[in-house]
Amino acid sequence: MEKTMFGLYNFALGYCLKKKLREHRKTFEPLIQEWGMDIDKEIEKIKGIRDFDKLVTARLQGYGIPDNYYRTASLGQRLKDIRIPTLLLSSIDDPVISYLLPHP
């Protein structure tokens, strides 16, 4: 179920991000020229969050590739460094968070 829910979430968010990128294309025009790409072809390749992060987020923020972005920006790897008692709440059917947190 988690993979199915995440897949649906991933697809829906990817679709919305594509739409927003198209809507704000003029804002990105200088970057598109700098990156030397056919943005319309690249937008069509976006099928989910990772594709968007590869095209825009990681590149725009200077991470190069999504893995570098995820490793640096994610709290998942830093949870073990919390030194004070902390309660983390997550719905068991949350499509993004539930599989990241350890379950008792």
Side-chain angles (χ1 to χ4, degrees), residues 49-88:
I49 301 166
R50 186 175 193 81
D51 297 330
F52 181 84
D53 287 342
K54 180 180 179 184
L55 177 63
V56 180
T57 310
R59 191 178 290 190
L60 190 61
Q61 300 299 325
Y63 290 103
I65 60 172
D67 288 338
N68 291 341
Y69 167 62
Y70 299 147
R71 187 174 38 258
T72 304
S74 174
L75 275 177
Q77 297 176 22
R78 296 188 192 111
L79 291 175
K80 67 182 180 339
D81 298 327
I82 296 174
R83 299 292 176 230
I84 59 173
T86 304
L87 175 64
L88 301 173

Side-chain angles (χ1 to χ4, degrees), residues 28-46:
F28 289 97
E29 197 66 43
L31 287 173
I32 293 167
Q33 291 175 1
E34 180 183 320
W35 293 341
M37 65 174 60
D38 181 341
I39 193 65
D40 296 316
K41 283 184 182 178
E42 296 300 322
I43 289 173
E44 286 309 309
K45 293 178 187 176
I46 296 173

Side-chain angles (χ1 to χ4, degrees), residues 87-103:
L87 175 64
L88 301 173
L89 298 176
S90 173
S91 170
I92 194 72
D93 63 350
D94 185 306
V96 178
I97 303 301
S98 66
Y99 74 93
L100 295 176
L101 297 177
H103 295 284

